[in-house]
Amino acid sequence: MSASRAKSRTARSRIETPGTRSSSSPPSRRPSDKAVPHTQANEKVYLKERENPLAWKFISSSQMSDLVQLTVDGVQKTLAEILHLKHYQNCMKEGILLDYYVSGFWWAKEQNFTMLQTSAFVTLLNIILENVSEKHLPLLDNLKELKKVMADVVQSSSDKRRDGEFFTVDQAKAIISYMKISLFQHYKLYEFLFRQTPDIEILDTELEVEVIESADPFPPPLEESLTWDIYSSYILLQPPEDLVREVEVEVEESKEVTETTTVDPLAIYTIDDVKSVLGEVTGEALRNLQTEISEKLQKQEEAYTVRISKLIKQ
C-alpha cells in the first residue's frame, strides 16, 4: 500500500509539474489597462494624418462663412476683393479669373457641400489653375495632378469618422466632371490667356482749340455759337444801344411779316363770284362728258347695225 501511495504521489507531482510557474518565467500577455491608452494614441495619430490637406488654404473660415450667405453678385464682389481683382470689369483676364472662381464656388454651394468641403474645392480650383498659369503643365500632366490631389481628399468607404470633411466617392466623381467641363474642356484657351501677351495700342489724339479774347460786355463767339465773321461784323463793332435798336427793328419787321402772311387770300371774293366760277367749271365739265357719251353710243349703234345686216344676209 505504501508503494502504491508513493507512485500516485509521484504521478501527481509529474502531472502538476508542466503547469507550475517558476519565478524566472515571464508572465502571460493578456489585455491590460495599459494597452487602451496606446490604442487611443494610434487613433489620434491616424485622425491627425487624415485631416483635409486643402481646407482653409485659399479662403479662410471667416471669409467662407461670409460668402455662403451672399447672392451671386455679392459673391462676385467679395471674391474680387479677396483675389485683388480691381479691374475685372475692364480687364478680360481678371474677368475670366473671377468668373472661374465664382462659378466654381456657386456650383459647390448648389452641391450642398459643407463650408470645409467648399473651402477645399476652391483650393483645388486654385491648384489646377496655377498649374496652367505658373507651372505651364500640359493637359495630361495636369490631369495626373488632379488625380493625385483627389486621392488625398476622398474618404474611403470604410472610413465614416470624418463625414463632412472629406469628399465621398460620388462627390469626387461630380468634382471631376465639373473640372472637365469648366477648365479642361477649354484648356487651350486658358493656356493662351496666361502665355500670350495681348497687343496694347495707345491712341493719342491732339486737339487744338483757338479761343478769342472776349470783348466786353459781350461773351466770346464760342459761347454765342457764332462765327468770327458774324461776330466781328454785327456784334463786336456796334455799341450796345445800336444793337438793342437793331433787335427791336427786327422784331417789328417780323411782326409785320406774320401779320401780312396771316391775311386770307379768298376774302376779296364774294359768294356770287364763287357761284359763277363754279357754274362755268361744272358746265364745261358736263359738256365734255356729254360729248364723250354721245360718241360712245354712236360707235355701239354702228356696231349693232353691222351685226344685224350680217344676220339678214345669212
Side-chain angles (χ1 to χ4, degrees), residues 9-37:
R9 289 177 180 175
T10 55
R12 288 177 183 176
S13 62
R14 290 176 182 175
I15 292 172
E16 291 178 358
T17 300
T20 58
R21 296 179 181 176
S22 62
S23 59
S24 61
S25 62
S28 62
R29 299 183 61 87
R30 65 176 181 178
S32 62
D33 296 336
K34 295 182 179 180
V36 175

Side-chain angles (χ1 to χ4, degrees), residues 64-119:
M64 184 60 64
S65 60
D66 294 336
L67 286 171
V68 295
Q69 299 176 1
L70 300 176
T71 60
V72 177
D73 296 334
V75 170
Q76 181 176 347
K77 293 179 181 179
T78 305
L79 282 178
E81 295 176 358
I82 295 173
L83 301 175
H84 304 289
L85 302 175
K86 299 180 180 180
H87 306 287
Y88 67 93
Q89 295 181 345
N90 302 322
C91 179
M92 182 180 66
K93 183 177 181 180
E94 292 188 3
I96 293 173
L97 293 178
L98 183 61
D99 182 71
Y100 173 77
Y101 287 106
V102 172
S103 300
F105 174 83
W106 201 257
W107 178 84
K109 185 177 180 180
E110 291 178 347
Q111 297 297 316
N112 297 323
F113 287 174
T114 62
M115 287 199 302
L116 194 146
Q117 289 176 338
T118 305
S119 174

Side-chain angles (χ1 to χ4, degrees), residues 143-257:
L143 286 171
K144 292 178 181 178
E145 289 292 328
L146 175 63
K147 180 180 178 182
K148 180 181 178 181
V149 175
M150 291 300 297
D152 295 334
V153 296
V154 176
Q155 67 180 11
S156 61
S157 58
S158 60
D159 187 9
K160 301 295 184 181
R161 290 171 293 183
R162 306 301 291 271
D163 290 339
E165 180 177 354
F166 293 90
F167 297 109
T168 62
V169 177
D170 294 335
Q171 289 174 341
K173 291 180 180 179
I175 290 172
I176 293 173
S177 299
Y178 176 80
M179 296 300 299
K180 178 182 178 182
I181 63 175
S182 62
L183 187 139
F184 293 115
Q185 187 174 355
H186 310 286
Y187 203 80
K188 293 293 183 181
L189 296 177
Y190 280 97
E191 287 181 337
F192 180 81
L193 177 67
F194 293 109
R195 296 182 184 181
Q196 300 294 330
T197 303
D199 297 333
I200 300 175
E201 295 183 1
I202 300 175
L203 301 178
D204 188 8
T205 303
E206 295 182 0
L207 181 62
E208 296 181 1
V209 179
E210 296 181 358
V211 181
I212 303 173
E213 296 181 359
S214 62
D216 295 331
F218 301 101
L222 293 178
E223 296 184 6
E224 289 285 344
S225 300
L226 299 176
T227 61
W228 172 249
D229 297 334
I230 298 175
Y231 182 77
S232 59
S233 300
Y234 299 99
I235 298 177
L236 183 60
L237 301 178
Q238 294 182 357
E241 296 178 357
D242 296 341
L243 182 62
V244 172
R245 292 174 185 175
E246 188 173 325
V247 170
E248 291 178 354
V249 171
E250 290 180 356
V251 171
E252 292 177 357
E253 291 178 355
S254 62
K255 289 182 179 179
E256 293 177 357
V257 171

